[in-house]
Amino acid sequence: MSLVQKSALGPGRVVRCGSCGKAVAAHPAGMLSAIPAFLGGYHALESGSALAGGAAVAAGLAVMVALQVFVVPLVKA
């Protein structure tokens, strides 16, 4: 499974493991990895600068993807 496929996984999305063929999904606690993206969006709404707001959203999305790929475990579906 590529990193892009793993970053798009969620508790409701099931894919087959590339090595064993079993169904896997992301752990339900992985939904918490979206918090940095929401905080970045909130900062963008409260910010007076489009540049600072855009940077906050981009940083929040980058942290969300990194958490989803490197921290959230895969579980049997």
Side-chain angles (χ1 to χ4, degrees), residues 9-67:
L9 278 180
R13 183 159 185 258
V14 178
V15 297
R16 297 279 174 199
C17 177
S19 60
C20 69
K22 294 184 180 179
V24 294
H27 192 274
M31 291 185 290
L32 296 175
S33 68
I35 291 174
F38 287 120
L39 291 176
Y42 179 76
H43 179 71
L45 291 174
E46 296 294 320
S47 175
S49 168
L51 182 61
V57 169
L61 289 173
V63 171
M64 179 184 75
V65 169
L67 287 173

Side-chain angles (χ1 to χ4, degrees), residues 6 66-73:
K6 185 175 180 202
L67 287 173
Q68 184 72 15
V69 170
F70 298 113
V71 176
V72 176

